[in-house]
Amino acid sequence: MTAPNPTLRQRQLATRLRQLRADSGLTIEDVAKHLDCSPSRISRWETAQRGVQAPLVRQLCQLYGITDQQQIDSLLNLARNAKRHGWWQEFDDLDLTPYIELEAKAAAISNYETSIIPSLVQTEDYAVAIIRGSLPRIKDSVLKTRVEARMERRQRILHQENPPDYWILLDEAALHRHVGGPDVMREQLEQLLRYAEKPDITLQVIPYTEGAHMGMNAAFILLEIPEPGISDTVYIESLLGGIYYEKPTEVDKFREALDHLRAIALNPQRSQDLIKRVAARIGTEPEYPR
């Protein structure tokens, strides 16, 4: 049986306990000896393979010399709520469980894409085409589940009472790639324009004329989390799964990239004008011989 994915709180607690132990100068073996347990048990706590009960967290705080009550309470809160799951658990095929949990808690989301429209504003037909194109061997049942989850995410994140501030940055290439064909792409661009009118969404396009820039290597998403004990996180998706960056020095590098991209991108109005022009030309471009 496959072990369930650790929740966001469990991962955050594991990261913080591992850092606190390292800061205290203690080894895993030292901690295991103090608690009279095996080193592998401590290792599983610190890699989120196993949950840690609140009383043990309190013991660890004492062992690591933590006296700041606010910090202790934050760790205890993570431990007590570590097993709480959200709506996404009903979709048993999702590999993005940690990401979706972060996304659901974000007060601000900055999404930079190089060649596709961001998943939160995709139409259903575009989502089908992009997932099938990325995973040509995907089973129809799995595809259906992933598309349903994507539509559910959009509804819960962008249409909630207090949605996050959502900043979309698109390389112009994302507008020109006809995912799903001309009709699907035209509908997708029209939906993108509708979302651009929402007061909590900012949309900017980086035109081809800007040449080389800091975002050319990879698309990424910055999730800013206001909940105590949970770090702002950058997420990058790859063929082998998601990569998470949580260290402040790592996240700051992506903030720098976002500042650069926002500065060179067209302003929101000019970005919408460009999208309208691209949408109007769909179906008129010459076909390339294979």
Side-chain angles (χ1 to χ4, degrees), residues 259-276:
D259 288 342
H260 170 76
L261 294 171
R262 288 165 179 160
I264 66 172
L266 300 175
N267 66 39
Q269 185 56 59
R270 291 184 64 196
S271 295
Q272 292 182 46
D273 291 342
L274 174 58
I275 294 171
K276 290 174 184 177

Side-chain angles (χ1 to χ4, degrees), residues 24-67:
S24 73
L26 296 173
T27 66
I28 286 178
E29 289 72 20
D30 293 333
V31 178
K33 184 177 181 180
H34 182 87
L35 296 181
D36 193 24
C37 66
S38 68
S40 62
R41 187 180 186 190
I42 307 301
S43 179
R44 288 195 292 272
W45 289 346
E46 293 189 358
T47 54
Q49 296 177 47
R50 181 171 180 172
V52 193
Q53 298 299 316
L56 284 169
V57 170
R58 194 180 294 277
Q59 282 185 260
L60 291 171
C61 286
Q62 293 174 347
L63 179 60
Y64 299 154
I66 307 304
T67 57

Side-chain angles (χ1 to χ4, degrees), residues 16 54 57-58 61-62 65-77 80 228:
R16 293 181 65 184
V57 170
R58 194 180 294 277
C61 286
Q62 293 174 347
I66 307 304
T67 57
D68 181 352
Q69 191 58 48
Q70 185 175 359
Q71 186 176 14
I72 294 171
D73 290 343
S74 175
L75 292 166
L76 292 173
N77 181 61
R80 290 173 182 137

Side-chain angles (χ1 to χ4, degrees), residues 99 103 108-122 150 153 158 165-171 174 192 201-206 218-224 233-237 254 258 261-262:
Y99 171 78
E103 183 182 68
I109 302 171
S110 298
N111 191 171
Y112 166 66
E113 293 290 350
T114 59
S115 58
I116 67 171
I117 305 302
S119 59
L120 280 180
V121 290
Q122 289 176 4
R150 191 162 293 190
R153 281 171 56 211
L158 300 186
D165 293 326
Y166 186 31
W167 201 314
I168 302 171
L169 285 156
L170 290 178
D171 192 284
L192 186 61
I201 294 179
T202 302
L203 170 63
Q204 288 184 273
V205 177
I206 301 160
F220 63 89
I221 303 172
L222 169 63
L223 301 144
E224 298 179 72
T233 302
V234 170
Y235 174 77
I236 296 178
E237 189 169 352
F254 287 95
L258 284 170
L261 294 171
R262 288 165 179 160

Side-chain angles (χ1 to χ4, degrees), residues 29-257:
E29 289 72 20
D30 293 333
V31 178
K33 184 177 181 180
H34 182 87
L35 296 181
D36 193 24
C37 66
S38 68
S40 62
R41 187 180 186 190
I42 307 301
S43 179
R44 288 195 292 272
W45 289 346
E46 293 189 358
T47 54
Q49 296 177 47
R50 181 171 180 172
V52 193
Q53 298 299 316
L56 284 169
V57 170
R58 194 180 294 277
Q59 282 185 260
L60 291 171
C61 286
Q62 293 174 347
L63 179 60
Y64 299 154
I66 307 304
T67 57
D68 181 352
Q69 191 58 48
Q70 185 175 359
Q71 186 176 14
I72 294 171
D73 290 343
S74 175
L75 292 166
L76 292 173
N77 181 61
L78 287 173
R80 290 173 182 137
N81 294 287
K83 292 186 177 180
R84 289 176 55 192
H85 291 279
W87 60 267
W88 48 87
Q89 296 299 321
E90 67 185 83
F91 297 99
D92 56 9
D93 176 65
L94 291 183
D95 294 327
L96 289 178
T97 294
Y99 171 78
I100 297 175
E101 194 168 2
L102 278 166
E103 183 182 68
K105 295 180 179 300
I109 302 171
S110 298
N111 191 171
Y112 166 66
E113 293 290 350
T114 59
S115 58
I116 67 171
I117 305 302
S119 59
L120 280 180
V121 290
Q122 289 176 4
T123 66
E124 186 170 341
D125 288 340
Y126 184 97
V128 168
I130 202 73
I131 295 172
R132 191 179 291 284
S134 303
L135 300 167
R137 298 181 180 179
I138 193 170
K139 295 180 180 178
D140 288 344
S141 59
V142 177
L143 174 63
K144 181 175 182 292
T145 296
R146 294 193 179 186
V147 172
E148 287 176 352
R150 191 162 293 190
M151 298 303 105
E152 182 77 5
R153 281 171 56 211
R154 184 181 71 195
Q155 186 65 30
R156 288 179 177 268
I157 300 299
L158 300 186
H159 295 274
Q160 59 180 301
E161 185 175 350
N162 294 303
D165 293 326
Y166 186 31
W167 201 314
I168 302 171
L169 285 156
L170 290 178
D171 192 284
E172 186 179 346
L175 307 179
H176 294 282
R177 185 170 298 281
H178 290 185
V179 174
D183 292 340
V184 170
M185 195 64 203
R186 186 182 301 106
E187 180 187 11
Q188 176 61 75
L189 294 183
E190 290 171 353
Q191 173 153 297
L192 186 61
L193 288 167
R194 288 194 294 272
Y195 275 105
E197 296 293 335
K198 288 174 63 66
D200 42 73
I201 294 179
T202 302
L203 170 63
Q204 288 184 273
V205 177
I206 301 160
Y208 285 144
T209 52
E210 283 300 324
H213 56 73
M214 286 187 71
M216 295 186 69
N217 289 334
F220 63 89
I221 303 172
L222 169 63
L223 301 144
E224 298 179 72
I225 318 293
E227 185 172 325
I230 300 180
S231 307
D232 291 348
T233 302
V234 170
Y235 174 77
I236 296 178
E237 189 169 352
S238 74
L239 288 174
L240 298 179
I243 303 170
Y244 296 86
Y245 294 97
E246 300 172 329
K247 294 180 181 178
T249 53
E250 296 171 337
V251 174
D252 285 346
K253 187 65 177 178
F254 287 95
R255 292 189 201 278
E256 179 187 354

